[in-house]
Structure formats: C-alpha cells, structure tokens
C-alpha cells in the first residue's frame, strides 16, 4: 500500500510541475500552446506508463540485461534513501551488538572474584575490616519487607549495577519454599567450578586436592556422607585454554556441559558454582567458629543488567527471584547461628549461568590468602546451612 502511494504522489507532482512550467513558458511567449500541449501529452503518457506499466516500457524500449534487475532498480529509485538507511542501520547494529556482547561476556567471565571483603575492587582498600552480617539482626517480616533495611543489613550492590525495591522484597524471598524432594532417587545437588584453577595460600602446585576442586570434593563428601543429600561433583575445566589460564570464555564454555548434566539428571534441584575470592594480600577472610579458624564465604547474585547497558536480554535469567531467595535464606540462616561467617550478599550485573536452575548459588568461599584447612572448616559450616535450608 505504501509503495503505491509513493508512485501516485510522484506522478501527480510531476504532472503539476510540467503544467506549471508550461504555463510559465506560454505566458512568456517561448512556446505556442499547441507545442506545449503536445509536449505535455507525450510526457504524461510516458510517465503514466513508467508508473503503472513499467514492464511494458522495459519491453518496448528493448532494454538489455535482466528484467528483474531493472525492475528492482526502478523500485529502489522510488525510496533510495529509506533503503540505504535500513541497510546501513541493520549492518551497524549487528556490528555494535557483537562488540558489546563480546565485551560484556568477557567482563562477566572475570569480575566476580575481583573484590575485597567490602565488595571493593582489589587494591582499593586492602586494609578494610572484613564484616559478616553480625548479631542482633531483626529478620521479622516487617523488617525484611523494608527495602532500605534489607540493603543496609544484607547486601552490597556493585556500583556498576542497580536494583529496585520491587525487585528485592525480603518478605517474599523468605517465604519461598526451597526444600528439595528427598523421596526421589538420584542426585539432588550439583557442585562445579567455573574457575577450577583457583588456589590457596598453602596449595601445592599440580595437586588439585589443594585447589578449589579439592574443596568441592570435601563439600561433596560432607553432603553425601554426613547429611545424606545425594550430591554430584563435576570437575570439568573451563578456565584453561591450550594449557594457559584464560577465564575470558569460562562461563560460556561451562554452560553447555552443565546444561547437559542437568538434562541427564533431572533429579538435580540445586546447582552450586563454588569459587574462592580474589582479595588484596593484606586481607584475610577468616573468623573463628567452634574454636577453628574458618574462611568466610560470600553469596553472589547476578542481576542480568547493568547501569550502562540496562537489561541484558541475551543474558536473561527467569530465575533471578529464586536465586535471590536462595542466597537470602542461606544468609539469614548463617546470621542466626554463625553471624560472622557470611559476608554480605554481593549483587552485580550479568548472569553467571545462574539461569540454569532456580535454586542456584554462586559462592565465593575464602580467598587466595586463606589456607586449605580454613577452607575445609568453612565447608563444614556451609554443608550444615545447606541442610538447614534445603532439608530441615
């Protein structure tokens, strides 16, 4: 319909222009009226044919070449600027989006373990005192429903992201039932490591039992043997490329394999990506629990949006509220029994593969300045809290 209007309007404009030009020339005495009328008649016939019977004009003129190309060219001539802008806009958008996606994915792959005890980037404040949630926290529905109270007592929000009050309602998050079904056969928890090469202060090079993978083994054994929650430990490596440490594609590399494990094991209800944090060398994430030096942990949530990019559609996560509920209930459980164990929940943009399961946790346990034994002591407490939230 629109192209038809363009053709008609073009013909009308041309007709009016010819008539106006003829009128001017006739009044100036340049041409006689008969001469002008013949020219007008020939012009109108010609333009009408081109507008409404272009194929016949093409044949009559015995044009050379492909008639389809000629017809396409005539159509393009009617709206050349629009065609140019459409093609150019599409091309530029694809290139820009590809570059933006690559940058965001690279940032996602390397930023979640680059914060100190207060959530600041490494090097900003190495001397900062590490703090857990603390004692005497009011977790009544009234308080947990207060957005400002919730943020000030339980969360650190990274400066690169944001969260609205309608996205963080503690009362609703605490009311979600996170219990797993222990009646069905098969594993209930999957533990894996996007960054399998993370080590500790006294790790032995080349010995995975002293790396984050070894800590994952220890947590798996605790859940299976002590708490009788069937747990699977996946030890796939995603942060080594050609033998070199490279985290730029770790989350993308892990995603299809973790998705395949979940597909083949539909009994799994909980997914834990276990990391250790990266802090300044002057920071030691440790507290004393039951007389033992115990590494502190931090629950981490991705919000799939940043201040600079807004909602990140290609990193969408339909389970953000479920993820937030899981980490908050774990945080509250820790604050009630072990108030200095869990640092504040850290909220940042991107997704971190937490879209694969509603009950997903990304845990930063300790850091490179902790010892392996401090990490194992932390797993004792973490396993107890998982049992409390998921089973009790």
């Amino acid at each position: 319909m629109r192209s038809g209007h363009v053709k008609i309007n073009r013909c009308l404009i041309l007709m009016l222009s010819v008539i106006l030009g003829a009128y001017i020339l006739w009044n100036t005495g340049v041409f006689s009226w008969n001469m002008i009328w013949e020219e007008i008649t020939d012009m109108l016939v010609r333009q009408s044919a081109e507008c409404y019977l272009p194929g016949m004009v093409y044949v009559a003129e015995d044009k050379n070449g492909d008639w389809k190309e000629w017809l396409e060219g005539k159509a393009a001539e009617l709206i050349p600027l629009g065609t140019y802008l459409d093609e150019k806009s599409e091309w530029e958008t694809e290139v820009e989006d590809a570059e933006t996606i690559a940058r965001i994915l690279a940032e996602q792959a390397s930023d979640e373990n680059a914060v100190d005890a207060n959530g600041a980037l490494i090097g900003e404040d190495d001397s900062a005192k590490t703090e857990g949630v603390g004692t005497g926290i009011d977790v009544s529905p009234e308080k947990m429903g207060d957005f400002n109270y919730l943020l000030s007592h339980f969360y650190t929000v990274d400066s690169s992201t944001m969260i609205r009050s309608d996205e963080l309602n503690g009362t609703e998050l605490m009311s979600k039932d996170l219990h797993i079904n222990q009646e069905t056969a098969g594993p209930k928890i999957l533990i894996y490591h996007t960054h399998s090469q993370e080590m500790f202060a006294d790790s032995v090079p080349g010995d995975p039992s002293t790396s984050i993978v070894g800590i994952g083994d220890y947590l798996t054994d605790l859940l299976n043997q002590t708490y009788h929650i069937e747990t699977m430990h996946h030890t796939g490596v995603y942060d080594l490329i050609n033998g070199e440490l490279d985290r730029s594609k770790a989350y993308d590399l892990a995603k299809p394999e973790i998705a395949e494990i979940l597909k083949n094991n539909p009994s799994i209800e909980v997914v834990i990506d276990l990391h250790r944090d990266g802090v300044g060398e002057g920071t030691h994430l440790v507290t004393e629990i039951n007389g033992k030096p115990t590494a502190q942990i931090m629950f981490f949530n991705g919000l799939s949006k940043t201040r600079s990019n807004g909602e990140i559609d290609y990193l969408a996560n339909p389970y953000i509220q479920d993820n937030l509920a899981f980490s908050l209930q774990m945080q509250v459980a820790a604050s009630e029994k072990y108030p200095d164990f869990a640092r504040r929940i850290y909220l940042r943009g991107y997704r971190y593969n937490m879209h694969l399961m509603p009950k997903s946790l990304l845990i930063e346990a300790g850091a490179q300045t902790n010892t392996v034994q401090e990490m194992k002591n932390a797993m004792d407490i973490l396993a107890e809290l998982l049992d409390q939230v998921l089973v009790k």
Side-chain angles (χ1 to χ4, degrees):
M1 182 67 70
R2 183 178 298 175
S3 62
H5 286 166
V6 171
K7 287 183 178 180
I8 292 172
N9 290 339
R10 187 176 177 180
C11 289
L12 290 176
I13 292 172
L14 184 59
M15 289 170 60
L16 291 173
S17 299
V18 171
I19 292 172
L20 180 61
Y23 178 79
I24 294 172
L25 293 174
W26 180 66
N27 277 282
T28 57
V30 176
F31 296 110
S32 67
W33 175 251
N34 289 336
M35 181 186 300
I36 293 173
W37 182 248
E38 288 180 2
E39 291 293 332
I40 291 175
T41 302
D42 290 341
M43 182 72 72
L44 290 177
V45 171
R46 173 66 184 178
Q47 290 299 321
S48 297
E50 288 188 359
C51 283
Y52 303 111
L53 299 170
M56 296 186 67
V57 173
Y58 176 85
V59 173
E61 293 181 355
D62 192 23
K63 300 284 187 181
N64 294 321
D66 191 327
W67 70 272
K68 293 181 179 179
E69 293 179 358
W70 176 84
L71 189 57
E72 289 173 356
K74 287 296 182 182
E77 287 177 2
L78 294 176
I79 47 172
L81 183 58
T83 303
Y84 169 78
L85 290 177
D86 286 344
E87 291 176 352
K88 184 175 178 60
S89 175
E90 180 180 359
W91 180 81
E92 288 185 343
T93 300
E94 289 176 355
V95 171
E96 181 179 328
D97 284 353
E99 292 175 350
T100 302
I101 291 171
R103 175 178 56 78
I104 288 176
L105 291 178
E107 290 173 353
Q108 173 187 243
S110 62
D111 71 351
E112 96 292 333
N113 68 337
V115 294
D116 67 18
N118 287 340
L121 293 175
I122 292 177
E124 287 190 359
D125 188 3
D126 288 349
S127 63
K129 181 181 183 296
T130 62
E131 295 181 354
V133 171
T135 58
I137 297 297
D138 187 347
V139 294
S140 64
E142 293 76 19
K143 285 293 188 181
M144 297 301 284
D146 185 329
F147 177 67
N148 292 323
Y149 176 85
L150 199 64
L151 279 185
S152 63
H153 287 82
F154 291 96
Y155 292 94
T156 296
V157 183
D158 187 78
S159 60
S160 67
T161 191
M162 57 185 173
I163 189 164
R164 302 187 307 269
S165 59
D166 62 314
E167 298 172 313
L168 193 66
N169 186 307
T171 303
E172 293 180 0
L173 297 178
M174 290 298 297
S175 68
K176 284 183 178 289
D177 184 3
L178 300 180
H179 290 90
I180 58 176
N181 184 1
Q182 286 280 67
E183 301 301 319
T184 59
K188 301 297 180 291
I189 297 178
L190 170 66
I191 297 172
Y192 76 103
H193 315 274
T194 302
H195 298 159
S196 65
Q197 304 305 300
E198 292 173 330
M199 309 293 279
F200 304 97
D202 56 350
S203 294
V204 178
D207 182 1
S209 68
T210 63
S211 71
I212 192 64
V213 175
I215 301 305
D217 280 334
Y218 185 75
L219 176 60
T220 301
D221 289 342
L222 283 171
L223 292 170
N224 279 320
Q225 298 172 16
T226 303
Y227 296 98
H228 309 292
I229 305 173
E230 190 169 348
T231 301
M232 175 188 296
H233 186 205
H234 174 62
T235 58
V237 176
Y238 305 108
D239 52 352
L240 283 180
I241 298 180
N242 298 323
E244 298 292 331
L245 183 64
D246 185 345
R247 293 175 176 166
S248 64
K249 297 181 176 64
Y251 283 96
D252 269 1
L253 293 175
K255 180 171 60 177
E257 292 200 19
I258 301 306
E260 185 68 16
I261 292 172
L262 296 178
K263 178 181 177 181
N264 295 333
N265 297 273
S267 61
I268 293 175
E269 297 183 45
V270 176
V271 175
I272 298 174
D273 186 4
L274 185 62
H275 295 247
R276 68 107 171 103
D277 209 342
V279 300
E281 292 300 321
T283 298
H284 191 193
L285 303 177
V286 67
T287 188
E288 186 173 303
I289 298 178
N290 299 328
K292 299 177 182 179
T294 304
Q296 295 175 303
I297 70 169
M298 180 177 72
F299 301 114
F300 195 103
N301 282 106
L303 302 178
S304 296
K305 65 178 178 180
T306 64
R307 289 185 182 277
S308 58
N309 296 287
E311 301 286 343
I312 306 176
D313 293 337
Y314 44 87
L315 290 180
N317 179 2
Y319 303 131
I320 288 178
Q321 288 297 306
D322 300 281
N323 299 162
L324 288 170
F326 195 8
S327 61
L328 182 59
Q329 291 190 30
M330 289 290 291
Q331 187 82 7
V332 168
S335 69
E336 291 176 336
K337 196 167 184 180
Y338 307 108
D340 290 324
F341 176 58
R343 299 151 59 195
R344 294 186 181 191
I345 301 168
Y346 199 76
L347 301 180
R348 200 160 193 172
Y350 316 129
R351 184 171 63 185
Y352 309 103
N353 286 339
M354 299 182 76
H355 67 299
L356 297 175
M357 183 67 64
K359 290 193 279 283
S360 291
L361 284 180
L362 194 162
I363 303 175
E364 299 283 0
Q368 83 280 7
T369 54
N370 288 100
T371 66
V372 172
Q373 188 58 55
E374 289 169 349
M375 292 294 299
K376 288 183 176 180
N377 294 341
M379 295 303 102
D380 292 336
I381 306 303
L382 179 59
E384 178 186 339
L385 296 174
L386 285 167
D387 178 62
Q388 179 179 328
V389 171
L390 298 172
V391 179
K392 295 292 179 63

